Amino acid sequence: PLSQATAHVPGGQGGFAGLVGDFLANTNQDQVASGQAVNDLAMGRNDNVQDVVLAVANAEMSFQMFMEIRNKVIDAWNELMRMQF
């Protein structure tokens, strides 16, 4: 969650860089959990398909959100580069 990301910033980073770093770490954690859930289902260690589908959907939504944020940051940077001072 974003509220947790602002409360604890790893590596001494602050502000926006720390927030993005935490969001990237959370997105990666969701991807790993999704992969593990699919692997567990395939290996027969888990028979609850609903949990696997939820884990995959959560990972997909996290990734899509991260990509949208990245796109907005790039758009903002490009807009700043077009400005004449």
Side-chain angles (χ1 to χ4, degrees):
L2 291 179
S3 60
Q4 289 177 347
T6 56
H8 171 55
V9 181
Q13 292 179 340
F16 185 72
L19 183 65
V20 171
D22 281 351
F23 192 66
L24 179 59
N26 289 340
T27 301
N28 185 53
Q29 183 180 6
D30 289 343
Q31 294 291 321
V32 170
S34 171
Q36 185 64 46
V38 170
N39 191 29
D40 286 348
L41 181 67
M43 300 300 283
R45 292 185 289 244
N46 184 5
D47 61 348
N48 191 340
V49 177
Q50 184 178 6
D51 286 345
V52 175
V53 170
L54 287 174
V56 170
N58 187 39
E60 182 179 353
M61 287 177 47
S62 293
F63 184 72
Q64 287 176 355
M65 176 69 90
F66 183 78
M67 293 304 292
E68 287 299 320
I69 291 171
R70 179 199 70 125
N71 292 342
K72 292 295 182 182
V73 168
I74 290 171
D75 289 345
W77 176 258
N78 288 335
E79 185 66 28
L80 284 172
M81 291 296 107
R82 283 192 289 267
M83 286 184 176
Q84 294 179 0
F85 293 98

